């Protein structure tokens, strides 16, 4: 009987990165402190460089990342039946991600994102096609990962907990933008079924409708059911809470090229470590090393570490450890 170490579930995107000229402005609302990317209205905006990357997206990145780290990995996604979709399928095959559960949408095109890259930060314009999701008959797996889905994701959310229970599967969950907009009430059943719940600080505050310090946010989210809650906070590092100890780990020093996919890389390393029998603290190290590697490349996939590279980083940086706070 077929068995996987890891099955990822979510949408696949085709990202086009547009590197904006340096004279582009960043405007900040003095009251809300929200920053806006300023471009001149009704004008042609110069772009220094563009990079096209198919077969990305939260769950796609994690599927490929876990495969590179040596896990037997499969991916459930719905691809558009167009040139881009066929190209994406080839990428998954090349990355040794099992395509058993890839479904073709004969009526709709591939998902698309335009990523505006400016001074190392990115602003993403996202288009999700409306897919008809339905959980395939998945083989048993040690781990499942659930992330970004478009409209209609609720059907999968209702099906996944029973699969986890039937096969004794642990799950990592990182809600995407459409899932976040649905709110805590709709996410609660899947959160309760999760072994690890990943969000960044802003997402945690949005879900809880509360501004608070990270320790408080961790504990409030933990009460909703996940066994482990992880909150990433960009260049300030990451935090994890397993119900007893709050751990903090700073970012690993690395030159910043572009930030897309750093959160997915962290989730990849974290879950791959747990799947390999490592502790939560060691999982934070794997996640941080992977994130730092992706930070040094354009796009979410290029810097995802191979197992040998991860092993070397772990071995050569023994003093880089999380601390209890």
């Amino acid at each position: 009987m077929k068995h996987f170490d890891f099955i990822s579930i979510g949408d696949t995107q085709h990202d086009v990165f547009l590197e904006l000229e340096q004279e582009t402005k960043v405007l900040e609302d003095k009251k809300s402190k929200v920053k806006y990317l300023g471009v001149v209205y009704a004008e042609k905006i110069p772009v220094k460089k563009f990079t096209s990357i198919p077969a990305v997206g939260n769950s796609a990145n994690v599927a490929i990342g876990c495969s590179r780290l040596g896990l037997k990995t499969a991916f459930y996604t719905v691809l558009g039946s167009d040139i881009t979709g066929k190209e994406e399928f080839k990428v998954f095959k090349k990355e040794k991600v099992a395509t058993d559960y890839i479904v073709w949408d004969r009526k709709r095109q591939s998902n698309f994102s335009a990523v505006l890259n400016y001074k190392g930060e990115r602003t993403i314009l996202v288009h999700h096609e409306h897919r008809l999701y339905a959980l395939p008959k998945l083989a048993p797996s040690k781990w499942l990962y659930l992330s970004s889905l478009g409209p209609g994701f609720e059907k999968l959310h209702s099906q996944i907990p029973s699969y986890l229970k039937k096969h004794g599967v642990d799950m990592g969950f990182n809600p995407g933008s459409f899932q976040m907009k649905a709110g805590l009430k709709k996410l609660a059943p899947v959160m309760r079924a999760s072994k690890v719940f990943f969000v960044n600080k802003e997402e945690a505050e949005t879900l809880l409708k509360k501004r608070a310090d990270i320790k408080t946010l961790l504990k409030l989210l933990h009460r909703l059911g996940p066994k482990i809650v992880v909150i990433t906070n960009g260049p300030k590092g990451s935090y994890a809470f397993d119900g007893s100890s709050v751990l903090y780990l700073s970012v690993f020093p690395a030159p910043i090229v572009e930030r897309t996919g750093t959160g997915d890389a962290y989730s990849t390393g974290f879950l791959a470590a747990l799947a390999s029998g490592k502790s939560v603290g060691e999982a934070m190290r794997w996640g941080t090393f992977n994130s730092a590697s992706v930070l040094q490349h354009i796009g979410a996939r290029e810097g995802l570490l191979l197992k040998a590279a991860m092993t070397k980083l772990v071995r050569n940086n023994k003093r880089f450890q999380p601390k209890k706070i």
Side-chain angles (χ1 to χ4, degrees):
M1 185 179 185
K2 186 170 286 189
H3 191 286
F4 291 100
D5 297 317
F6 197 93
I7 298 176
S8 192
I9 294 176
D11 280 347
T12 300
Q13 296 288 126
H14 175 203
D15 283 355
V16 174
F17 290 81
L18 306 175
E19 189 172 343
L20 301 179
E21 296 284 0
Q22 292 299 301
E23 59 265 24
T24 302
K25 291 185 178 181
V26 176
L27 310 173
E28 183 174 327
D29 185 289
K30 292 181 180 179
K31 186 176 180 180
S32 67
K33 302 298 181 183
V34 173
K35 291 182 179 180
Y36 296 89
L37 187 64
V39 293
V40 181
Y41 178 66
E43 290 286 343
K44 291 183 178 179
I45 309 302
V47 173
K48 290 194 296 184
K49 180 182 177 183
F50 83 92
T51 306
S52 177
I53 306 179
V56 290
N58 301 115
S59 298
N61 300 335
V62 173
I64 289 172
C66 283
S67 179
R68 289 188 184 184
L69 288 173
L71 300 182
K72 186 180 179 182
T73 303
F75 186 27
Y76 166 64
T77 192
V78 182
L79 299 180
S81 186
D82 52 18
I83 293 174
T84 298
K86 291 169 185 175
E87 186 178 1
E88 289 170 338
F89 186 85
K90 290 178 182 178
V91 171
F92 295 126
K93 293 282 283 187
K94 182 182 177 182
E95 293 285 352
K96 299 180 181 178
V97 173
T99 56
D100 304 48
Y101 310 120
I102 288 181
V103 177
W104 295 98
D105 187 336
R106 306 293 177 185
K107 296 181 179 180
R108 298 175 181 85
Q109 296 181 322
S110 296
N111 296 325
F112 175 82
S113 296
V115 186
L116 309 181
N117 186 20
Y118 182 61
K119 292 186 177 180
E121 285 291 357
R122 78 283 188 276
T123 302
I124 307 178
L125 310 179
V126 183
H127 171 68
H128 280 266
E129 290 285 353
H130 195 136
R131 306 296 190 194
L132 297 177
Y133 302 113
L135 195 69
K137 189 176 181 181
L138 301 176
S141 177
K142 293 178 182 177
W143 279 86
L144 186 146
Y145 179 74
L146 174 65
S147 191
S148 184
L149 295 162
F153 68 83
E154 292 87 353
K155 184 174 182 179
L156 284 180
H157 277 217
S158 68
Q159 294 173 322
I160 286 171
S162 59
Y163 164 78
L164 300 176
K165 186 175 181 181
K166 179 180 178 181
H167 295 288
V169 180
D170 289 325
M171 183 175 75
F173 177 36
N174 171 219
S177 55
F178 282 96
Q179 291 152 306
M180 287 286 298
K181 287 177 184 176
L184 204 53
K185 187 175 181 180
K186 285 196 174 181
L187 297 187
V190 181
M191 289 177 67
R192 284 195 296 272
S194 300
K195 178 70 175 286
V196 188
F197 181 66
F198 298 95
V199 282
N200 62 36
K201 185 173 185 287
E202 292 74 21
E203 290 167 341
E205 291 178 332
T206 298
L207 279 176
L208 293 168
K209 297 181 180 178
K210 180 184 182 68
R211 289 201 171 191
D213 62 272
I214 288 183
K215 286 183 75 172
T216 300
L217 296 173
L218 286 166
K219 291 176 180 180
L220 288 173
L221 289 171
H222 188 266
R223 289 177 192 171
L224 298 174
K227 303 295 185 295
I228 302 166
V229 177
V230 175
I231 295 181
T232 55
N233 197 18
K236 295 181 181 179
S238 62
Y239 303 77
F241 179 57
D242 62 0
S244 58
S245 300
V246 175
L247 297 178
Y248 164 74
L249 185 62
S250 64
V251 297
F252 188 70
I256 300 172
V257 174
E258 199 270 323
R259 294 188 185 277
T260 302
T262 53
D264 299 333
Y266 186 98
S267 299
T268 298
F270 194 100
L271 293 175
L274 292 185
S276 301
K278 306 298 182 182
S279 66
V280 171
E282 190 67 6
M284 294 177 77
R285 297 179 73 226
W286 283 40
T288 302
F289 290 139
N290 214 23
S291 183
S293 179
V294 166
L295 190 66
Q296 299 173 62
H297 300 82
I298 292 178
R301 183 171 68 242
E302 185 66 24
L304 289 168
L305 293 169
L306 294 169
K307 189 174 182 179
M310 177 66 79
T311 301
K312 185 177 179 179
L313 278 166
V314 169
R315 183 179 62 243
N316 292 346
N317 296 278
K318 292 182 179 179
R319 292 186 178 181
F320 184 71
Q321 297 285 346
K323 61 182 181 180
K324 290 184 181 182
I325 60 170

